[in-house]
Amino acid sequence: MLCMLCTNTHTNTNIQNILGVLSVSRALGDADIKEFVRGNPFTVECDLENVHVLVIACDGVWDVIGDEEASECVLRVIDSNDEGEGKGQDAKDTMTQDDPVNAIKETVKRAAEALTELAIRKDTMDNVSVAVGLFLS
């Protein structure tokens, strides 16, 4: 199984810190601000047997985009490759091109960029980091 992973990041410079002291990523272990920070992650257990795409993103994405919308955004790019060169081609069809690894990498990169741009268009107030992985067998 081959996995292509590409990431994209956008930094919002207007982020508010907790009590003007700590950003959330550093605040989870600080007992003096526990009333403002909750460290309980959202977790789901699921069967990954038929999964071919993995999206990992920070709360700047999940604050403004739901799971289904994020999936649709990423799969639209991967399945139809509609964000630039190769328009109309399935990512798996790129295996027949001269440089299939680079073609797939570019498609996955565009998927990460598309989800990042969607979060920004939806006026996220946080940093946005997206990693998209495509598993090929």
Side-chain angles (χ1 to χ4, degrees):
M1 178 180 288
L2 171 67
C3 175
M4 299 298 253
L5 181 66
C6 292
T7 61
N8 196 42
T9 302
H10 169 76
T11 302
N12 184 341
T13 56
N14 295 321
I15 295 173
Q16 298 296 316
N17 289 332
I18 297 170
L19 299 178
V21 179
L22 294 175
S23 61
V24 174
S25 63
R26 294 194 327 250
L28 295 176
D30 293 273
D32 56 330
I33 57 172
K34 284 292 185 200
E35 67 182 284
F36 303 104
V37 179
R38 184 175 44 138
N40 303 341
F42 171 75
T43 60
V44 175
E45 236 180 90
C46 59
D47 178 15
L48 297 178
E49 188 173 319
N50 295 318
V51 172
H52 70 279
V53 176
L54 174 67
V55 175
I56 302 171
C58 68
D59 57 343
V61 172
W62 306 124
D63 287 346
V64 295
I65 299 171
D67 299 349
E68 289 296 320
E69 187 176 10
S71 297
E72 291 169 5
C73 175
V74 168
L75 290 174
R76 186 171 35 254
V77 175
I78 290 173
D79 289 343
S80 67
N81 199 3
D82 62 3
E83 296 288 328
E85 286 185 32
K87 186 172 182 173
Q89 293 178 346
D90 188 296
K92 294 170 189 147
D93 291 341
T94 61
M95 296 298 285
T96 61
Q97 294 181 357
D98 291 339
D99 189 359
V101 172
N102 192 50
I104 294 169
K105 185 177 178 181
E106 287 301 313
T107 299
V108 175
K109 179 181 174 187
R110 284 193 298 274
E113 290 169 348
L115 187 54
T116 300
E117 291 166 8
L118 180 60
I120 293 166
R121 281 196 311 272
K122 289 183 161 262
D123 296 325
T124 186
M125 297 302 291
D126 206 340
N127 292 338
V128 178
S129 292
V130 176
V132 175
L134 178 62
F135 300 92
L136 303 171
S137 52

